[in-house]
Amino acid sequence: MTDVARAAGVSTMTVSYTYNRPARVSPDTRARVLRAAATLGYAGPDPSARSLRYGATRTLGVVLGEHLTYAFDDPQAVRFLAGVAEVCAERGYGLLIVPTGAGDDDHDRVVAAAVDAYVVWTTTDDDPVLAAACSTRRPVVIHGGPERAGTTMVGIDNRAAARAVGVEVFAGARRPVVLSFPLDRNREMFVGSGIDPDSVAYPVTRDRLAGYRDAARDLGIDWSRVPVGVCRTSDEDDARTVMRHLVAAAPDLDAVAAMSDQLALGALREATGPLRVSGWDDSDVARQHDLTTVAQSLREQGAACATAALGDPVPDHRDAWRLVRRGSTAA
Amino acid sequence: MTDVARAAGVSTMTVSYTYNRPARVSPDTRARVLRAAATLGYAGPDPSARSLRYGATRTLGVVLGEHLTYAFDDPQAVRFLAGVAEVCAERGYGLLIVPTGAGDDDHDRVVAAAVDAYVVWTTTDDDPVLAAACSTRRPVVIHGGPERAGTTMVGIDNRAAARAVGVEVFAGARRPVVLSFPLDRNREMFVGSGIDPDSVAYPVTRDRLAGYRDAARDLGIDWSRVPVGVCRTSDEDDARTVMRHLVAAAPDLDAVAAMSDQLALGALREATGPLRVSGWDDSDVARQHDLTTVAQSLREQGAACATAALGDPVPDHRDAWRLVRRGSTAA
DNA sequence: CTGTTAGCGCTTTCAT
DNA sequence: ATGAAAGCGCTAACAG
């Protein structure tokens, strides 16, 4: 900038004004400055220097969980991100995706990112990435949980929703099972019975499991005998693998409550007989396969997270879900 | 930082070393500094100040086209982004999505973003956002095109691929049609005939159209009589609407070359009689519907773009496609 | 309408 | 192992 000023025969301030307050510079000088800039290949004020000066970056950080990869493969996470992006676009904020999960320096990356606030995608209570985001004292909004002092949480009441859909899918079933997201960050695939929701590290998964248990109780079903198949991701292929294990463990299974439409689809594909199935999210998949599911707008929640992170109030989302009854639980 | 230094009774340099070269500080002093930092709620060096000093941000910018929204709704764009993210994660770079398409200050946003390099998602020759990215003299890598001096282009040979798949889908057809992406940034939906590829603003669309025309010529089909249905996005619903118009205009149509699997699916759903159909990308949709298609890895191309933007050489991708023959063109 | 001064928070270089 | 000085590029505040 100093160079441009010299070349144009003005002070640096005039150059600065030319870019930031064009009205305060005479058209003549302005043209001269711009010409000098063009000659020197100067493209405008340096963004880092500007941020330093302003004390703000006009950038919103997003942490998509332990492995970036999972997030992009999960259509719901993508929807969520689209919501965040929408708000960023409207308000002229950059959207910085912080690259986590590729090393052991996640903490440093989160702390060292040039952002004004953080939106954190659902994670576990003990996720160091979450701790890192909170430690920077920037505003933090967490989607889905965990709740944490000093942060904002945006998400639906997963327990209530799971109970509602659980009652629907388990009704009349003699051998209900659950197809679950991972319980903790190890993301082990396995089949267990009567899993205690309180032992689950992901709040969203915990709440949904608790809701399914509530539903089982409502229907007089003994939760301790309900097999839970735990998948590594929200992936149809994962679901099929786990479903095969479930069928092996409980050949008479006749109802599956799945934590996503993708998982539900996997269950359908591996079904050996008549089967009641419920999904979650009311995605295209659910509509195509006539799946009973829980409708919620991840996109809207993403937008709400961004809005909250940028300091504006957002409505409570606890009741922003809806049970969608379809053919998959009609029999 | 100065405050922390004072509180710990050391110089600012010692605090700086504590964070950047822990080994060069005695464990004792280090502990003292860290304690002081904790007390004061200091979370480490300010990222903007650091970037200013280093002259680099360790952040890669991505411009997803005129409307951010379209990008997140397009599964191929998401795949591409996943590839970019993967490389960023590996190398500890942040991934900044620059929010374009929500106002007329796109140019400024691109110029003012704190990034070291840009990856630009396919756009038109005349996109001001592209011009903005290039004007900053940061390295720019463009996916799919346009080609531009001083930038790197990563993408397949769309014309050759379109010709190959076109020959496959148009073979034996009496009334072939094309289901196309938008021709220019206005994204009008319409049906035309014998569209001149050279009049198309998007290089990718231009090349594919030219390739389909090549295929028509190879088969002795008169291109000027081939209806082209232009969709607004790569969306199944869009495709259905346009397909209905095509059917109205050419009730005897019996072959559809579509520029994406999504569009091809829309065509299938609106088919009134036997129909040869080809898609593009070899996505899940193509596999599920036994669709002849062009396989390419957007994810791999995203990774290549990021790698190139970060200054490393990448192999040529022109031939990184493959014709996948399936039942949809078997008859 | 234009210029001067000061300092945002950090790290490189060169001492000690 | 620690520190002092200088400056990265910019803009708010206040002249003139």
Side-chain angles (χ1 to χ4, degrees), chain A residues 214-249:
Chain A
D214 293 341
R217 284 182 182 159
D218 291 346
L219 297 166
I221 295 166
D222 178 6
W223 175 252
S224 71
R225 286 193 4 99
V226 174
V228 175
V230 179
C231 304
R232 198 150 39 204
T233 67
S234 179
D235 199 75
E236 189 191 323
D237 290 334
D238 266 27
R240 295 181 72 156
T241 306
V242 172
M243 185 66 183
R244 281 194 294 272
H245 286 283
L246 279 167
V247 170

Side-chain angles (χ1 to χ4, degrees), chain A residues 131-154:
Chain A
C134 295
S135 76
T136 64
R137 308 240 303 234
R138 295 178 263 228
V140 174
V141 177
I142 305 170
H143 175 253
E147 305 234 31
R148 216 186 188 71
T151 70
T152 306
M153 212 276 271
V154 171

Side-chain angles (χ1 to χ4, degrees), chain B residues 74 76 120-125 142-147 153-163 178-184 197 200-212 259-260 280-281 296 298 301:
Chain B
D74 180 350
Q76 298 312 316
V120 179
W121 175 247
T122 321
T123 186
T124 62
D125 301 278
I142 305 170
H143 176 250
E147 306 235 28
M153 212 276 272
V154 171
I156 63 167
D157 182 341
N158 280 285
R159 182 161 181 175
R163 182 177 194 161
V178 170
L179 216 39
S180 172
F181 288 154
L183 306 187
D184 56 43
V200 173
Y202 288 95
V204 169
T205 306
R206 177 165 64 226
D207 290 347
R208 292 191 188 176
L209 226 39
Y212 291 142
M259 289 196 192
S260 80
W280 200 294
D281 288 330
Q296 66 171 330
L298 268 299
Q301 289 175 42

Side-chain angles (χ1 to χ4, degrees), chain B residues 10 23 29 32 40 42 46 59 73 79 105 109 140 160 189 225 244 250 255 265 272 300 317-318:
Chain B
V10 298
T29 332
R32 206 141 34 88
L40 295 174
Y42 176 82
D46 178 272
T59 297
D73 288 336
R79 283 238 153 64
D105 55 351
R109 291 179 182 186
V140 173
M189 242 188 215
R225 288 193 3 97
R244 282 194 293 272
L265 180 59
T272 50
E300 214 276 300
H317 279 72
R318 268 174 295 195

Side-chain angles (χ1 to χ4, degrees), chain B residues 135-272:
Chain B
S135 77
T136 64
R137 306 237 306 232
R138 294 179 263 227
V140 173
V141 177
I142 305 170
H143 176 250
E147 306 235 28
R148 216 186 188 71
T151 70
T152 306
M153 212 276 272
V154 171
I156 63 167
D157 182 341
N158 280 285
R159 182 161 181 175
R163 182 177 194 161
V165 73
V167 165
E168 190 71 17
V169 67
F170 288 164
R174 320 180 46 139
R175 194 64 165 133
V177 306
V178 170
L179 216 39
S180 172
F181 288 154
L183 306 187
D184 56 43
R185 292 187 297 120
N186 292 329
R187 293 181 178 260
E188 275 173 89
M189 242 188 215
F190 73 96
V191 172
S193 260
I195 290 177
D196 178 11
D198 289 339
S199 71
V200 173
Y202 288 95
V204 169
T205 306
R206 177 165 64 226
D207 290 347
R208 292 191 188 176
L209 226 39
Y212 291 142
R213 186 186 55 185
D214 293 340
R217 284 182 183 160
D218 290 345
L219 297 165
I221 296 167
D222 179 5
W223 175 252
S224 71
R225 288 193 3 97
V226 174
V228 175
V230 179
C231 304
R232 198 148 39 205
T233 66
S234 180
D235 199 76
E236 189 190 324
D237 290 334
D238 266 28
R240 296 181 71 155
T241 306
V242 173
M243 185 68 183
R244 282 194 293 272
H245 287 282
L246 279 167
V247 169
D252 55 335
L253 71 82
D254 58 352
V256 180
M259 289 196 192
S260 80
D261 294 333
Q262 316 283 317
L263 297 184
L265 180 59
L268 278 179
R269 298 229 195 266
E270 293 292 333
T272 50

Side-chain angles (χ1 to χ4, degrees), chain B residues 1 13 16 42 53:
Chain B
M1 188 153 129
M13 271 326 295
S16 177
Y42 176 82
R53 193 58 245 252

Side-chain angles (χ1 to χ4, degrees), chain A residues 45 73 90 116 120 147 155 212 218 225 227 236 241 291 297 329:
Chain A
D73 288 335
E90 273 166 20
D116 292 342
V120 180
E147 305 234 31
Y212 290 143
D218 291 346
R225 286 193 4 99
E236 189 191 323
T241 306
L291 224 49
S297 171
T329 55

